[in-house]
Amino acid sequence: MRHVRRGGVQVRSSVRCVLFCVIALLSMLGEGMALFALTLESADQLGSWGVTALFLIGLVPPILAAPAIGRWVDGAALFRVWILNLCVHIGIFAVMAIFANILLSLALMSVASVCAVINGAVVFKIIPRIRGRFTLARASSFLVVATSLAGIIAPAIASIAFARAGIGAVLWCATAGFLGLAMAAVVLSRSLAARGHEVQTGSEPAPNARITGGGAALVRHPRLRILLLPVAAIVLFTAAEGVAGVFYLREITDSDTGYAVLLGAWSVGAVLGSLLGGNRRFGARSSLPILLGGGLVGAAILIEGLWASAVGLAVVFLAGGLGNGLHNIGVRIAIYEHVPESRHGAAWAQLRMLINVMVALGYLIGTPGLLVGSARTIIVVSGAVTLLAIILSAVLLGRTARGGVRRQRAVAESEG
């Protein structure tokens, strides 16, 4: 009877996990639509500097606030922080929609960018608690798929809504998305509170985690320190490729439509890679999807620069996107594996800080004529250096593993 009851609880928790990811997708759609519409509005009203300001606003405040965000999320009541943060997010988009002032919107987006990191850190901590029968890799893959789908769908919907009804309609959609997520957060909070034993499933340390307080959560474990190298390289050089690709890919496709198709191929590949990364083979070893996925990303970027064929690059981008999805799953699992649950909020905030720094540097590296001459050269160098970072990381991980085996043998011999 106890087994049947426990199985029923796990099934309900699994259904809860899927529903949560669906609702999270709606909020991501709203946020993505709002950001896309604000990009268009900034370009129309303020010119190129307005778009640059919007991008910097999304990068700089989270970098500065990341340490405080991590401490707050890990030290306060998790659901209280989450619901409060979502209410602030709702208020931000509602005020933008009511006043329809681009300068006010840019100022509020600096707050929204910080709220987005808080939301990500809380959701990262919640997933282990509501995964039910799913593995951590599979539950994480649902959320990564939602992120990828939002990246595909949001710009298309936002562009149509912006053209027909203006930015106000798009911002109200974003408000509605976060309102739905806030309501789901309240229901989920009460549901987990009613089953105290389920709340504890996310509080146990990861199998390989070192329990240490303070400091940078991401660099406490030696394997995780090594894995951060390919993570940083992939973010840096995909950002650089994204900027250089605006010029290079539009040139070789001869149309904006062809350029959009290539970007769509990458996004579709990311969805497939996210689903693949959730299976047991990849989910059991975080280093495998990080290195294999990173290798596919680096190879795709390198081939992009060497092979100027629009049709061929559609297949290459599909493979690159698949690697991107695998890599993203691996990063999440690596943190779950090597960082204790009590530090997950700090780890996620620090990861976002690292990503934002690398993206900002990538924008600089990827601007043709700023540091490197042509867009094509930037893309070739980006792909090659990414592959070198993957190879170096694999070598370092191999040495770490061999060193661990030797230490275990030495301990066993001394005890014998």
Side-chain angles (χ1 to χ4, degrees):
M1 177 68 71
R2 184 178 300 174
H3 175 75
V4 173
R5 185 178 302 168
R6 184 179 177 184
V9 169
Q10 286 184 333
V11 169
R12 288 194 297 272
S13 187
S14 300
V15 172
R16 189 185 300 122
C17 178
V18 174
L19 291 176
F20 168 77
C21 290
V22 171
I23 296 169
L25 169 61
L26 296 178
S27 70
M28 292 177 196
L29 281 174
E31 187 172 29
M33 289 171 61
L35 181 59
F36 190 83
L38 282 169
T39 303
L40 298 177
E41 188 77 358
S42 298
D44 290 344
Q45 293 197 28
L46 304 175
S48 60
W49 77 266
V51 176
T52 302
L54 180 62
F55 288 162
L56 290 176
I57 281 169
L59 293 174
V60 176
I63 293 173
L64 300 176
I69 290 173
R71 288 193 298 269
W72 187 37
V73 171
D74 284 326
L78 186 61
F79 281 93
R80 190 175 302 167
V81 169
W82 192 28
I83 294 168
L84 174 62
N85 177 66
L86 291 172
C87 290
V88 172
H89 229 138
I90 292 166
I92 287 171
F93 287 126
V95 170
M96 286 183 188
I98 292 170
F99 291 97
N101 182 287
I102 188 60
L103 294 179
L104 176 63
S105 294
L106 289 177
L108 289 174
M109 278 303 294
S110 65
V111 183
S113 65
V114 175
C115 290
V117 177
I118 297 172
N119 187 58
V122 173
V123 169
F124 185 80
K125 286 178 72 80
I126 285 174
I127 285 294
R129 306 184 181 197
I130 62 171
R131 62 187 176 94
R133 290 184 171 180
F134 297 121
T135 63
L136 267 177
R138 177 56 65 199
S140 296
S141 75
F142 292 149
L143 204 60
V144 176
V145 167
T147 304
S148 299
L149 288 175
I152 298 171
I153 300 170
I157 299 176
S159 61
I160 296 172
F162 181 81
R164 295 187 176 180
I167 191 171
V170 180
L171 291 172
W172 282 120
C173 287
T175 304
F178 276 95
L179 180 60
L181 185 59
M183 294 171 64
V186 173
V187 173
L188 185 59
S189 171
R190 292 179 177 177
S191 175
L192 289 177
R195 298 177 176 85
H197 61 281
E198 286 191 21
V199 176
Q200 298 305 316
T201 59
S203 61
E204 298 173 359
N208 299 326
R210 292 184 174 182
I211 309 301
T212 52
L218 279 183
V219 297
R220 289 285 178 179
H221 196 281
R223 284 184 66 86
L224 193 54
R225 283 200 298 270
I226 295 172
L227 289 173
L228 287 177
L229 172 61
V231 172
I234 288 168
V235 174
L236 174 65
F237 291 112
T238 51
E241 185 278 335
V243 176
V246 173
F247 306 95
Y248 173 70
L249 293 176
R250 291 173 73 184
E251 180 182 341
I252 67 172
T253 58
D254 247 355
S255 71
D256 288 343
T257 302
Y259 173 58
V261 168
L262 289 179
L263 295 183
W266 189 285
S267 298
V268 170
V271 172
L272 297 176
S274 301
L275 293 173
L276 180 62
N279 69 23
R280 294 187 181 276
R281 179 181 298 274
F282 288 107
R285 297 175 60 194
S286 59
S287 58
L288 178 62
I290 289 177
L291 296 180
L292 177 60
L296 286 172
V297 170
I301 295 174
L302 180 60
I303 294 171
E304 173 193 351
L306 296 175
W307 188 29
S309 167
V311 176
L313 287 183
V315 178
V316 172
F317 271 39
L318 189 68
L322 189 144
N324 211 161
L326 275 176
H327 170 80
N328 292 343
I329 293 295
V331 173
R332 286 175 169 268
I333 298 305
I335 296 176
Y336 284 132
E337 183 180 359
H338 299 303
V339 178
E341 192 274 345
S342 62
R343 300 284 288 153
H344 279 174
W348 188 258
Q350 290 160 16
L351 178 66
R352 292 306 312 174
M353 180 174 66
L354 172 66
I355 289 173
N356 283 1
V357 170
M358 291 298 105
V359 168
L361 292 175
Y363 286 165
L364 294 175
I365 293 172
T367 303
L370 185 62
L371 299 176
V372 181
S374 70
R376 188 170 190 172
T377 302
I378 292 170
I379 292 171
V380 171
V381 171
S382 296
V385 177
T386 299
L387 287 174
L388 287 175
I390 297 298
I391 294 170
L392 176 60
S393 302
V395 171
L396 292 174
L397 285 173
R399 288 183 178 179
T400 301
R402 287 193 295 272
V405 171
R406 285 196 295 268
R407 283 193 296 271
Q408 289 176 357
R409 287 177 179 173
V411 170
E413 290 174 357
S414 63
E415 290 177 350

